[in-house]
Each structure stands twice: as structure tokens, then as C-alpha cells.
């Protein structure tokens, strides 16, 4: 059976983020991709001018349709839009027999909100406890954990705080800190760090979507979490380094970047 992964996320017509980025990433990892659309955006590399959520009922119908016929081995969420969709996905996830990666997307690369204010509390209260892995960036981790993050020590504290909310594991991404881009994974009371050199580029549209999709693909392929994160980290780093330079704003990363045949697990610390 070919590995299958599911994305539950918004649409980016420019192709750099959202379900478009997720499906490209799944394909690059050799995984068959399914996509449930939560919202539509009008955006390109320089702006987001409109966001329209679909109904929570339609989201639920899409999820049930794909799961009953082509069940995935892993799934991920992206932009969910409003509280009704968050609550619906959380309820459905309670019945999932496969791991769920929650990318708690809150703001687009251009600063446009992709989730309503009341939906943020629903993510914290209802969705995180259904997650096998949560992958917040620093701003999202601060919003969910409730305190500022200034260094790797704070990243560890935030990861622990989100694990206490019920997630199996949490990966706090440090791309916006100074110095090397270090991500911190907390699983089973252990920490793993995944460093990468900082790349000076404006072409980082869809990095969070692509990274979480790569992790979900790894899980669908049967990799342990640390290995899936390590392989995904190598992929997203190379995708940023070799970005095609499309658009006049924050362009997409390279979804044709090579996938490493083997990974090196992050060091336990």
C-alpha cells in the first residue's frame, strides 16, 4: 500500500503555502496526498487581500469522505480560520487512528490573520490535546504558552507548557531568533535540538506549511518522530536555500528540493 497523508488547511492560489505546499511536499516524499479545504485566500507573494472560510459542516464532510475511503497514515492541519472549524476538526481528530500534526497557523507571512481571535482559545483548549505533534513558530508558541520567548531555554519552557495541554509532543521553531535556526522538540520528557545555518533570503513563504507537511509525510512513511523531524528539517533548510526566486515579495521555497534518503536524529540534551 502506498503511504497516504492528509492535509486539512487553507488554499493559497499562488502555490507557496497552504494545501498547495502540503501536496507538493507529500509528493516529493513519495507520499500520496489528500486535501481538505478549510478556507480560501486571495494572495500572492506581496499581499493577502481576502480570506473566506468554508462552513464547518463542509469541512467535516470532506474529512469523513476521504478517511472512510482512503484512510491516511498521518494528517496535518494548517490554517483553520474560525472557531467552528477548529472545534469540528478537534472533534473529528478524537476518532483518528493515525497521528495528527497541528501547525497552529495564526498569521500569514504578510501579517494577515488566518484565524479568528476566539478560535485561538479553541486551538489551545480543544485541538492541542488531539495532536501527536504541535509545530508553532515563536509568535504562535508565545500566544499559546502565554509568555515571551527570547532564547532556547524559553523555547523549552514553551514546549513543556504545550505538552501539559495534552499534546504528545511539541516542536517549537526558532527561525525568528538571532543566530542559527534552532528548533526544539519535546517528547516524552526529553528534548532534541535541530540546528541549521541561517539563510539570508526573503523567499520564505510557506516554510511552516512545508515543514509540518514534511514531518507528516515522514510519519506516514513509518518513521519515528525524531527521525521524521530531522529529515523534514533537512528538507526545509535545502528548500529555503534553493528557493526559485519567484514573485516580487516573499516568494515560495523550492518544493523540488531533494529529500535525504536517511536522517540523523537530533541530539538529546
Amino acid at each position: 500500500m502506498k503511504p497516504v497523508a492528509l492535509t486539512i488547511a487553507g488554499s493559497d492560489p499562488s502555490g507557496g503555502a497552504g494545501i498547495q505546499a502540503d501536496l507538493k511536499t507529500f509528493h516529493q516524499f513519495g507520499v500520496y496526498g489528500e486535501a481538505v479545504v478549510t478556507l480560501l485566500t486571495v494572495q500572492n507573494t506581496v499581499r493577502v487581500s481576502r480570506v473566506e472560510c468554508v462552513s464547518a459542516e463542509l469541512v467535516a464532510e470532506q474529512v469523513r469522505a476521504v478517511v472512510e475511503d482512503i484512510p491516511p497514515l498521518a494528517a496535518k492541519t494548517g490554517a483553520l480560520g474560525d472557531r467552528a472549524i477548529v472545534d469540528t476538526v478537534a472533534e473529528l481528530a478524537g476518532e483518528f487512528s493515525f497521528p495528527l500534526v497541528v501547525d497552529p497557523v495564526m498569521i500569514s507571512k504578510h501579517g494577515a490573520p488566518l484565524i479568528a481571535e476566539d478560535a485561538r482559545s479553541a486551538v489551545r483548549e480543544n485541538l492541542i490535546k488531539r495532536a501527536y505533534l504541535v509545530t508553532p513558530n515563536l509568535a504562535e508558541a508565545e500566544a499559546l504558552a502565554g509568555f515571551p520567548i527570547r532564547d532556547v531555554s524559553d523555547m523549552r519552557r514553551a514546549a513543556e507548557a504545550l505538552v501539559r495541554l495534552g499534546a504528545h509532543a511539541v516542536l517549537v521553531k526558532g527561525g525568528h531568533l538571532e543566530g542559527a535556526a534552532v528548533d526544539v522538540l519535546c517528547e516524552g520528557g526529553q528534548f532534541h535540538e535541530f540546528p541549521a545555518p541561517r539563510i539570508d533570503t526573503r523567499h520564505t513563504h510557506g516554510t511552516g506549511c512545508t515543514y509540518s507537511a514534511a514531518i507528516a509525510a515522514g510519519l506516514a512513511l513509518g518513521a519515528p518522530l525524531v527521525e521524521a523531524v530531522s529529515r523534514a528539517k533537512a528538507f526545509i533548510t535545502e528548500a529555503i536555500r534553493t528557493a526559485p526566486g519567484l514573485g516580487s515579495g516573499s516568494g515560495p521555497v523550492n518544493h523540488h528540493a531533494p529529500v535525504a534518503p536517511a536522517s540523523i536524529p537530533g541530539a538529546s540534551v
Side-chain angles (χ1 to χ4, degrees), residues 13-266:
S14 73
I19 60 171
Q20 289 84 350
D22 295 342
L23 291 173
K24 292 174 188 177
T25 303
F26 291 162
H27 183 81
Q28 192 69 356
F29 273 73
V31 172
Y32 179 84
E34 302 177 310
V36 167
V37 179
T38 58
L39 56 86
L40 303 175
T41 68
V42 176
Q43 67 173 297
N44 53 31
T45 66
V46 296
R47 63 180 172 85
V48 176
S49 57
R50 187 172 179 180
V51 178
E52 291 284 343
C53 293
V54 306
S55 71
E57 180 184 6
L58 181 54
V59 171
E61 288 182 11
Q62 292 178 79
V63 172
R64 293 190 183 105
V66 296
V67 170
E68 74 181 20
D69 186 44
I70 309 177
L73 294 176
K76 63 149 291 187
T77 63
L80 297 180
D82 62 31
R83 179 163 194 136
I85 294 175
V86 173
D87 287 340
T88 294
V89 171
E91 182 178 354
L92 291 166
E95 303 172 5
F96 289 171
S97 60
F98 44 85
L100 176 67
V101 177
V102 172
D103 184 13
V105 178
M106 295 183 179
I107 301 208
S108 77
K109 189 68 67 177
H110 317 298
L114 295 174
I115 190 169
E117 284 294 329
D118 63 341
R120 296 189 182 197
S121 60
V123 170
R124 192 176 189 278
E125 296 164 9
N126 300 331
L127 186 58
I128 286 178
K129 64 185 178 184
R130 305 294 191 191
Y132 181 72
L133 175 69
V134 185
T135 63
N137 60 28
L138 291 184
E140 292 157 353
E142 288 180 340
L144 293 169
F147 55 81
I149 299 174
R150 300 290 180 261
D151 53 30
V152 171
S153 176
D154 289 338
M155 292 170 68
R156 293 189 191 182
R157 288 176 52 225
E160 286 180 316
L162 298 188
V163 167
R164 287 195 295 271
L165 293 178
H168 169 78
V170 175
L171 177 71
V172 178
K173 299 174 294 186
H176 294 102
L177 286 180
E178 296 295 326
V182 179
D183 303 332
V184 174
L185 173 68
C186 179
E187 181 189 25
Q190 284 193 308
F191 290 101
H192 307 268
E193 292 184 7
F194 301 86
R198 185 165 300 282
I199 299 167
D200 184 17
T201 178
R202 61 182 169 87
H203 297 293
T204 56
H205 184 51
T207 50
C209 304
T210 302
Y211 193 2
S212 57
I215 295 171
L219 295 175
L221 290 165
L225 181 58
V226 172
E227 183 178 336
V229 173
S230 178
R231 200 176 185 206
K233 177 71 171 182
F235 174 73
I236 190 60
T237 301
E238 184 65 8
I240 295 171
R241 190 186 71 81
T242 60
L246 299 174
S248 53
S250 177
V253 300
N254 176 22
H255 291 103
H256 296 290
V259 176
S263 61
I264 301 172

